[in-house]
Structures are given as C-alpha cells and as structure tokens.
Amino acid sequence: MAEKKLLGEILVEHKLILPEQLQTVLELQKTTTPYQTIGRLIIKQGFMKEADLQIVLDRTGKRQRLEEVYYQHRFVEKEDLLLAIDMSRQEQLPISTVLKNLEFIDDEIAAKAIAIQYDLPYVHLNTIQPIPALLNVVNPGYAKSHKIVPVSKTSETVMMAMTEPLALKELKELESMIRLRIQPVIALEREIIALQDRLYNKGGAVAKSEVDIKLDDSFLNSLNEDNLEPDIDAADKQVTEKDSNLVRLVNKIINDACVNKASDIHIEPYPGKEDVVVRIRIDGCCEDYLRIPHKYKYALPSRIKIMANLDIAEKRKPQDGKIDFKKFGSLDVELRVATMPTAGGLEDVVIRILHTGEPTPFEALGLSEKNQQLFGETIKHPYGMILVVGPTGSGKTTTLHSAIAKINRPKIKIWTAEDPVEITQKGLRQVQVNPKIGFTFATALRSFLRLDPDIIMVGEMRDEETAAIAVEASLTGHLVFSTLHTNTAPDTITRLLEMGLDPFSFSDALQLVLAQRLARKLCEHCLERYTPDERELDGLIAEYGGDLLAASGCSREKITMTKAVGCSQCMESGYSGRLGIHELLACTDEVRDLIKQRADTSIIRKQAIADGMVTLKQDGILKVLQGLTDIHEIRRVCIK
C-alpha cells in the first residue's frame, strides 16, 4: 500500500512552493509556540495565497473532517459523537448543529473546530475596537449577509473574521473586488454581529487626524502636491463631477458624519494659508473632524454648491438648497445646505443631515411618569392647542410625531405642515411648506381647515397669522399641535400674547405647553458611580430649589451620582446619545385666569409650579440622580 504523502511534499511536487521554502517552514515550525501547522506557516511567510492553499487541501483530501476534529481534540466523548453522527445522517443536518442541539458542545467549541478543520486562526472580537479605515473595505450589506467583518488592514492584506470560510470562488471574487489579499480568521457569530454593529452602525471612533480618514494611500499626498494657492477661477474649474479627489473627499465627509449620527457638518475656510477646518456636531456638541489643505478653500464649498444646485459664481450673499445624497453616494439621506460669505472672499458651508425615519415610541421620549401620564391624557382631547417649545435641535418635532403616533388610527384624519418632512408615518397626510412660492405655514393651516381634519400639526408658529389661525382651529373642534422657539413653558404664553393673540380665545384654546432640551447621556460602558460629599449634596439640593429628597424618593444617605469618564466606545467624551429634559405646564383654570389678565411670566411660572410643574432644571437634576447624565450637562443646557 502506497504511503500517504504529507502536505509539504505535495506542494513541492506540484511546484506550488520551492524545496528551500518548505525547509524554511519546517525549521520555523520547530521554534514556533504555540505549534502551528505547515499550511499556516506557508501563508504567513507569503509563499502561497490562502485561496490556493484551500484548493490544494480540498483536492488532496488533506483537510480533516469535522468528526475527526471533534474526536482527536477531545471536544466530544466517543459515544456522544457516534450518537450525533447517526442523528446527523438521519435528520440530514450538519454534525455541529446536532452536537449543539444535544448540548454536547457550545458555539465556541463549534467555531474552534471549524478553525482547526480549515487550519485558520480562531479569534475573540469582544475587545477589538472598530477602525474607521475599515468602513469602506466591504459593503455593509454584503458583510452582514455573509457573516463576515474586517478586523485589521495593511496596505496589502485585510484580516477578515467569518463564522466559516467563504467558498473559494467567493473568496477570490472578494479579493479581486477590494484589491486586497484576505487573511481569514474564525470567530463566533454573535461577536461578528456585535463588531459589525460597532463598525457600521456607530462608525467606530471619529477620526481625529488626516491619516485616520484618508480615502486611499495617496490621497493626502495628492491634496498637498501643489502648495500654490489657486485663484478663484482656477479653483472653480477643478470642481467638476470628474474631479475624483474632491468628489471622494466630500462623499467621505458626509458618509462619516451620517455613520456617526451627526446632525450637522460645518466647513470653515480661513484666509491666507490656514487649513480648512471641518467640524461635525454629535449629540449637540461640535467635534473637530478634519483639516484640509488651504488650497481647497474655494474648491470644497463650490463642490457642495454644485451638488445642491446652487450658483457657484455667487459668493457675495447667502444661499440655501438641498442635496439628495443617494445620487452621489451609497446612503439614502437628504441634506440641507446653507452657505454664508465670510471675511476674505470665502464662504462657510453648513450641511444639515435630515435623519428621516419612523417616529420614536411615546414611552421612549424620556418623560417622567407624571409628565408622561398628563401629556398622554391631554393628547386624547377632542380639541385644543398643544405646544412643544425649545431651541432649534431640541427634539420638538420628534416629540410631536411620537405624540401623534400614539393617537393615530384609521378613524382620525390628520394633516401636518412641516419644513422639512423628516419623520414619516402611515395614516398622516404630510405637506412640506415652501415659503419661496408663498406656501407658508399660515397658508397650509388655512387650507387644512377646508379639508375636514380631526388633528392638525403645524411645524412652527413663526408669526401672528399662523398663531391666530391655530387658535381659531382649536376652538372650532380641532386638536392642534405646534412648536415655538421659546426658552421655557411660561415664556411661551407671554410670547404668544405679545404676538397679538386675543387672551380670551388663547386661554380657552391652550391645553398644554411642553418645554424641552436635549442633554447628553453618560456612556453606559464607562460611567462611574460615586457618593457625593455633604457640600456637593447641599449645593445640589439648593440648586433644585425644592424638596429634592421627596421628589427623588431617596434618603440623603442613599443618593448616588454618576460622572463621565471616557472610553473608546464614546470617543473618550464620556457621553453617548441624548435624553430629553422636560417642563410641562398644564393650562389649569388658575393659569387661564392669568392669561386673560396678561400676567407677567414670573407670575405664570409661580402658579404653574404651585399646580405641580417641575422645571427644566429640576427634571434634569432628577435624571442626574437616576444616573442618566451628570450635573455639568444639565447646567450646560438648562437655565434655572
């Protein structure tokens, strides 16, 4: 009987490696700890490609069967394995599936067995942090459908974690597509999914340097090739659809901002030879993202203006427009663009990212139990006016849509006028106003009254006309939702009276005012709990301005607080995501009387507090005691 040949001998015989290379690997194997197979060392030394080795293993029968791996490595007892093999044949199921169903092995042992069978490394991904440079290596949809994720990358190779090796044809096609040699490793499916989520949904850490966000190895060099500042005409000529560096740069900035869930992108050119600064706003705070060579200070804004169909020759006055980004990149997102002429004949550009989607569940708004109950009862009224107020970007539209979604049902007709329509939901008839053609909120609201609605939502009360029509609509049997830019709930009443509303009609129409802010939440991965000392606790109680211990339901000794620390999950900021801080003013009979008397804001505020209103800052301090945020963040976003 002919002696079976070893893998190394087969490779040399077929001239896939040289005898000297085999000898080098054999010597290396003697000194390698832990022991590594010949095939793995051949790949590491670069003597063969991974795909070619896998072909040889399959064709020569040198690859172990999974049953042999389980038995030889004592993962399963012999009797248990024989039972599983028999069941596998009867039920036409893979041996690993049967063993897991019988609870003879777990997911980790199954993954290790596959790694041994295919002579591939087994890795844990729990501690691996996503690298922004890996975002564009593999399409997210492809990665998720094939259960793979890039782990690390060099100029020539990418380490790719997978639950089981890709088919050889797929592996070669993927290598050809990404133009990198793939180094497969085996990992648990749940760890792969978790790393995919960190990489594609959160984008990993935002790059802080030009090297981190480079589009390819030569990109930054190409940006710096010419140190001469171009004149305006020359710069404009560079900005065409065919200017690949500039196109890819703009697309990369927008893509990274979307992945990191930023709300705005700020492009800030400076006179002279200072770099163009790009900042992105995440969770309400601006973060430096990138510095671009000064010679692009004319070209970059012009490129964005072309995408937004704006006049690139007009640099003396502000312009605004919008970009449907799916025409230029892979993301289906709408962008609002605003330009502003600045000193030195330059232009700043601010891009607002409109995250369209489904409404937030009403219970997830972060309202306190008392506020949630009162708000929920009020939105079920058949008529009246409900206002949500706060500064730009405080989540007013999100709150309104969540409230409407709670009462949205087929028997109710709902019209909304918005600018822009960011959140969509079935059952609503949504209209986007266009002030440029005279289609304002007031015009839309007046037209709605002829369409027999039950509920009307007006994006914003910008003037007396809109407010007066809203009051009229609420008094004629409609429930009207709207927003206003005021600081607090009592301020809202004063502002509307100053607009010229009739206090008697207004007091009858108003049901509720909800003022809100968005504060950054502490990162759950790194927040630190501590017990405040007496001085800090006394200061917090004084700042609350009421009985904090009764409101929080805690004794003085049991109060704990949290503080920001910073980790890789939150980009070292200590914060991740945002939560709502609310102030709910219910229009009681006493408040209605004060409105009719045109009382001062301070008097209305005192009455609202007497009626049970918790102020913005008080609500924020209560959320501090719940461990959701810290007092520094509440002080940043709230006034007393």
Side-chain angles (χ1 to χ4, degrees):
M1 184 176 178
E3 185 179 350
K4 288 187 176 180
K5 293 183 180 179
L6 299 175
L7 175 63
E9 295 173 332
I10 293 172
L11 296 177
V12 171
E13 182 180 318
H14 288 80
K15 298 181 180 180
L16 296 171
I17 62 173
L18 299 173
E20 307 89 79
Q21 292 174 330
L22 175 60
Q23 192 60 39
T24 299
V25 170
L26 291 172
E27 292 297 324
L28 189 60
Q29 189 182 40
K30 295 176 184 178
T31 59
T32 302
T33 305
Y35 174 85
Q36 291 196 18
T37 63
I38 289 290
R40 189 53 37 213
L41 290 172
I42 288 173
I43 296 298
K44 282 191 173 182
Q45 295 300 308
F47 297 153
M48 281 187 73
K49 290 184 178 180
E50 180 73 45
D52 293 335
L53 176 64
Q54 298 301 334
I55 291 174
V56 173
L57 290 172
D58 285 333
R59 289 181 178 175
T60 59
K62 289 296 179 182
R63 190 186 309 288
Q64 282 184 296
R65 296 169 60 211
L66 266 179
E67 294 87 336
E68 295 172 351
V69 174
Y70 285 125
Y71 179 69
Q72 290 181 8
H73 291 266
R74 298 183 178 179
F75 289 147
V76 184
E77 295 296 329
K78 183 177 180 180
E79 295 78 10
D80 293 340
L81 182 60
L82 291 173
L83 172 63
I85 291 172
D86 187 46
M87 291 181 64
S88 173
R89 289 170 182 165
Q90 290 179 12
E91 299 180 15
Q92 299 288 305
L93 290 173
I95 184 67
S96 296
T97 302
V98 174
L99 287 169
K100 285 193 285 187
N101 290 343
L102 293 171
E103 298 186 357
F104 292 157
I105 63 170
D106 56 20
D107 290 336
E108 186 169 0
I109 289 179
K112 286 180 178 178
I114 290 175
I116 293 170
Q117 182 191 25
Y118 284 88
D119 195 18
L120 296 173
Y122 173 78
V123 298
H124 281 292
L125 305 180
N126 286 337
T127 58
I128 294 176
Q129 297 304 322
I131 304 169
L134 297 174
L135 265 173
N136 293 327
V137 170
V138 182
N139 178 278
Y142 183 92
K144 290 177 180 179
S145 64
H146 288 75
K147 297 177 184 177
I148 63 174
V149 65
V151 177
S152 62
K153 176 177 173 288
T154 67
S155 59
E156 296 180 353
T157 65
V158 58
M159 180 183 287
M160 194 78 70
M162 48 192 74
T163 55
E164 58 184 37
L166 294 174
L168 295 175
K169 182 179 179 182
E170 282 188 317
L171 187 68
K172 284 184 172 292
E173 287 178 351
L174 186 56
E175 284 183 330
S176 175
M177 185 170 61
I178 66 177
R179 298 179 182 178
L180 292 168
R181 187 162 54 85
I182 293 175
Q183 179 187 346
V185 295
I186 301 299
L188 287 172
E189 181 177 345
R190 63 174 179 268
E191 293 183 6
I192 288 176
I193 293 172
L195 184 55
Q196 286 174 343
D197 184 58
R198 297 199 296 275
L199 177 63
Y200 296 121
N201 294 348
K202 297 182 182 177
V206 175
K208 298 292 182 184
S209 68
E210 293 175 350
V211 176
D212 288 334
I213 65 99
K214 63 185 179 181
L215 299 173
D216 55 43
D217 293 334
S218 63
F219 181 70
L220 288 176
N221 292 333
S222 70
L223 288 184
N224 286 291
E225 281 174 358
D226 181 11
N227 289 323
L228 296 176
E229 184 173 328
D231 57 48
I232 295 178
D233 291 337
D236 285 343
K237 289 177 183 177
Q238 294 177 22
V239 185
T240 66
E241 295 294 334
K242 297 179 181 179
D243 191 325
S244 60
N245 274 350
L246 202 55
V247 169
R248 292 159 67 198
L249 174 63
V250 172
N251 287 358
K252 177 66 173 174
I253 291 171
I254 294 171
N255 185 78
D256 282 0
C258 292
V259 167
N260 285 286
K261 299 182 179 178
S263 58
D264 308 284
I265 304 168
H266 299 258
I267 297 170
E268 304 165 354
Y270 291 88
K273 294 192 176 183
E274 288 190 53
D275 290 343
V276 178
V277 176
V278 180
R279 298 194 289 167
I280 60 177
R281 188 184 296 277
I282 300 174
D283 293 338
C285 293
C286 283
E287 304 278 351
D288 284 346
Y289 165 75
L290 175 65
R291 289 182 177 271
I292 301 169
H294 67 89
K295 70 167 188 168
Y296 279 81
K297 63 187 177 185
Y298 298 113
L300 185 57
S302 294
R303 167 61 190 166
I304 296 170
K305 287 166 75 174
I306 285 176
M307 294 170 70
N309 293 317
L310 301 179
D311 184 0
I312 64 172
E314 179 56 73
K315 300 177 183 293
R316 298 169 299 171
K317 64 181 183 181
Q319 298 185 66
D320 60 87
K322 63 181 180 180
I323 299 172
D324 185 1
F325 190 60
K326 66 183 177 183
K327 296 178 181 178
F328 304 95
S330 57
L331 297 176
D332 185 3
V333 64
E334 185 177 341
L335 310 170
R336 289 299 171 99
V337 177
T339 68
M340 177 61 68
T342 53
L346 301 172
E347 285 182 291
D348 273 34
V349 180
V350 176
I351 302 173
R352 184 183 177 197
I353 302 169
L354 304 179
H355 295 286
T356 58
E358 296 293 318
T360 302
F362 186 73
E363 293 72 20
L365 289 175
L367 290 160
S368 66
E369 184 177 350
K370 177 184 174 183
N371 285 347
Q372 182 174 308
Q373 181 180 355
L374 182 55
F375 194 27
E377 290 173 355
T378 306
I379 62 178
K380 294 177 183 176
H381 287 186
Y383 59 87
M385 180 186 293
I386 294 174
L387 302 176
V388 179
V389 303
T392 300
S394 59
K396 300 186 296 296
T397 303
T398 299
T399 298
L400 284 183
H401 268 283
S402 296
I404 289 174
K406 187 173 179 64
I407 57 177
N408 181 11
R409 55 184 185 271
K411 292 183 179 180
I412 294 177
K413 183 61 178 284
I414 305 174
W415 282 93
T416 75
E418 304 169 68
D419 185 23
V421 176
E422 294 185 52
I423 301 171
T424 58
Q425 52 177 303
K426 291 182 179 179
L428 269 60
R429 306 310 300 150
Q430 296 177 263
V431 174
Q432 183 159 317
V433 300
N434 188 351
K436 291 181 179 179
I437 61 172
F439 186 35
T440 62
F441 283 118
T443 306
L445 185 52
R446 192 179 291 109
S447 298
F448 286 170
L449 295 178
R450 296 192 290 268
L451 300 174
D452 190 29
D454 296 299
I455 296 174
I456 298 170
M457 186 187 107
V458 186
E460 185 183 341
M461 287 187 180
R462 294 177 179 173
D463 50 53
E464 180 189 352
E465 183 184 9
T466 307
I469 300 171
V471 169
E472 180 186 342
S474 62
L475 291 174
T476 54
H478 305 91
L479 185 62
V480 179
F481 292 85
S482 190
T483 72
L484 206 67
H485 289 115
T486 53
N487 288 326
T488 66
D491 287 342
T492 305
I493 294 174
T494 308
R495 172 73 61 83
L496 288 169
L497 289 174
E498 289 174 350
M499 277 187 181
L501 290 183
D502 173 51
F504 291 91
S505 298
F506 178 43
S507 63
D508 289 341
L510 186 63
Q511 297 292 325
L512 176 148
V513 181
L514 179 71
Q516 70 178 54
R517 299 287 187 280
L518 291 178
R520 291 182 296 172
K521 289 175 63 177
L522 289 172
C523 174
E524 296 177 357
H525 297 91
C526 65
L527 63 81
E528 185 177 304
R529 295 188 177 275
Y530 70 98
T531 302
D533 57 30
E534 291 298 313
R535 183 178 178 183
E536 183 178 6
L537 190 53
D538 287 340
L540 194 66
I541 292 173
E543 196 168 0
Y544 184 81
D547 193 344
L548 175 59
L549 299 179
S552 64
C554 296
S555 63
R556 190 181 180 96
E557 297 75 22
K558 293 184 178 180
I559 285 182
T560 60
M561 297 171 64
T562 46
K563 60 183 178 181
V565 177
C567 65
S568 58
Q569 296 286 340
C570 59
M571 297 176 285
E572 305 301 331
S573 69
Y575 302 94
S576 178
R578 290 194 283 181
L579 76 157
I581 309 297
H582 305 95
E583 175 179 282
L584 192 149
L585 184 155
C587 199
T588 61
D589 291 340
E590 291 77 11
V591 171
R592 294 185 199 280
D593 289 340
L594 292 175
I595 294 174
K596 292 172 183 175
Q597 298 167 24
R598 295 182 178 271
D600 291 339
T601 303
S602 58
I603 298 175
I604 296 174
R605 181 181 293 110
K606 287 179 182 178
Q607 182 59 52
I609 292 173
D611 291 337
M613 183 182 80
V614 176
T615 67
L616 280 166
K617 194 159 195 179
Q618 287 176 334
D619 191 54
I621 291 174
L622 292 175
K623 286 181 167 69
V624 169
L625 298 186
Q626 294 171 24
L628 300 174
T629 186
D630 59 17
I631 189 62
H632 306 293
E633 186 65 11
I634 297 304
R635 288 170 182 154
R636 183 180 71 85
V637 301
C638 295
I639 61 176
K640 189 168 182 179

